[in-house]
Amino acid sequence: MSSITESQQGTILPGEPEGEMTRVGETEAYLYRAPAGSTNPRAVFLLSDIFGLPLKNCKILADTISKRLRCDVWVPDLFAGSPTFRVHDLDGILPTKPGQVVSYIGYLKLAVLVLRCGLWMYWNCGAVVDPRVETFIREVKEDKKYAKVGAVGYGFGASICSRLSTKDVVLDTVVIVHPGRCTGLHTNADIDDPVQIPTSWACAEDNFAFKPHMHLEAEAILAGRKGTPEFNQYEFKEYKGTVHGFALRPHLADPEAKAAFEGALAQTVAWFEKTLV
């Protein structure tokens, strides 16, 4: 195992966002509108990781997904204007490849980060953010008269997707990308309601928040519902050589990481082409 010596910032995606900032109710959001001439009444909501709207990667991904699917893509501000985490906060803390270990200094930096952001974490837990996101989606769907809506979430946003997938009529389909803890979907958590909609999972080989055994448990639970009224279609894909964050903050200089980033993006588009119709 190698120790972490390089920057954890990952690669900031090239280019600049081409969409617009707007507001729906009390929530600010980024919107990339469907290309001119598109008549498909569907939309996608992109739920960011803990870095929120200030990290342009989520906006650039929204642009790309919109162009490929020819539909509106919305990126709501999950944190009501208060993202505390910055990309460089993770320098020396999280691995960039499976098998790397955190140094002693890395553990100290993590302890300081947790203390500094403890109050932020309390005020931005799922119990606070989930209702904000659900309200936003419902308001947008009603106002724009979308026939169907899906959501793709990364990290923190992926966990929101997993929880919203157990709520009827909020979303029609979701893609869950290197999630944090997914309460309700694996046996390490209390199982509340079964998944109500199709789910696609893009998993890292080594994810500190959603470990391989959790991935297997989640897949087993969904597979176990085949032949019952609770079953919904699903898929799991694991990207080798990857860690948490690979699909939103990719190290593009690494060929394996670049291929995984592109693969997860293609998986997202293909899933919505199949289920958001």
Side-chain angles (χ1 to χ4, degrees):
M1 292 187 179
S2 61
S3 61
I4 299 175
T5 57
E6 61 181 304
S7 169
Q8 307 305 301
Q9 292 186 36
T11 300
I12 302 300
L13 294 177
E16 293 298 329
E18 301 171 5
E20 63 192 82
M21 295 301 300
T22 185
R23 180 174 289 276
V24 176
E26 298 181 356
T27 301
E28 188 176 29
Y30 175 82
L31 167 65
Y32 192 94
R33 298 182 185 275
S38 176
T39 58
N40 200 323
R42 61 182 179 179
V44 168
F45 295 87
L46 190 155
L47 307 184
S48 70
D49 62 4
I50 60 173
F51 301 106
L53 282 176
L55 183 63
K56 71 176 184 176
N57 290 17
C58 59
K59 304 184 186 92
I60 290 173
L61 277 178
D63 295 359
T64 302
I65 292 170
S66 175
K67 292 172 184 176
R68 294 190 186 182
L69 289 173
R70 298 185 64 79
C71 71
D72 293 348
V73 177
W74 298 79
V75 189
D77 177 10
L78 303 182
F79 309 117
S82 63
T84 297
F85 293 93
R86 299 161 297 181
V87 177
H88 65 76
D89 286 334
L90 298 183
D91 284 358
I93 293 178
L94 297 182
T96 60
K97 298 288 287 184
Q100 289 179 330
V101 295
V102 180
S103 67
Y104 176 72
I105 293 177
Y107 280 118
L108 289 178
K109 290 177 68 174
L110 178 61
V112 171
L113 181 64
V114 169
L115 289 173
R116 177 168 67 82
C117 299
L119 187 59
W120 182 94
M121 292 176 178
Y122 176 80
W123 286 112
N124 289 284
C125 64
V128 174
V129 177
D130 287 10
R132 182 186 302 150
V133 174
E134 184 176 348
T135 297
F136 177 84
I137 292 172
R138 290 185 184 279
E139 289 179 350
V140 170
K141 185 176 182 180
E142 180 178 355
D143 179 61
K144 300 298 182 182
K145 309 301 181 187
Y146 295 126
K148 283 195 171 185
V149 296
V152 54
Y154 300 83
F156 187 96
S159 297
I160 297 174
C161 280
S162 77
R163 292 188 292 269
L164 291 184
S165 71
T166 67
K167 293 178 177 292
D168 194 18
V169 307
V170 181
L171 293 163
D172 295 290
T173 179
V174 294
V175 180
I176 298 167
V177 187
H178 49 67
R181 191 168 181 82
C182 293
T183 303
L185 290 175
H186 56 72
T187 54
N188 282 3
D190 296 328
I191 297 177
D192 302 314
D193 300 315
V195 172
Q196 303 287 322
I197 57 178
T199 55
S200 175
W201 300 70
C203 301
E205 178 183 349
D206 184 8
N207 183 350
F208 68 92
F210 192 66
K211 297 182 182 297
H213 75 274
M214 296 177 178
H215 160 188
L216 294 175
E217 289 167 359
E219 189 169 3
I221 287 174
L222 295 179
R225 293 173 181 157
K226 288 181 179 179
T228 75
E230 296 178 347
F231 177 74
N232 279 282
Q233 62 177 313
Y234 68 90
E235 67 175 6
F236 281 80
K237 294 186 179 182
E238 181 180 289
Y239 293 87
K240 297 299 181 182
T242 60
V243 295
H244 188 82
F246 77 89
L248 185 63
R249 295 176 283 107
H251 291 259
L252 294 177
D254 179 340
E256 193 169 37
K258 183 175 185 292
F261 165 72
E262 293 171 349
L265 178 57
Q267 175 184 342
T268 297
V269 172
W271 185 255
F272 287 140
E273 288 282 27
K274 180 169 67 173
T275 62
L276 202 59
V277 293

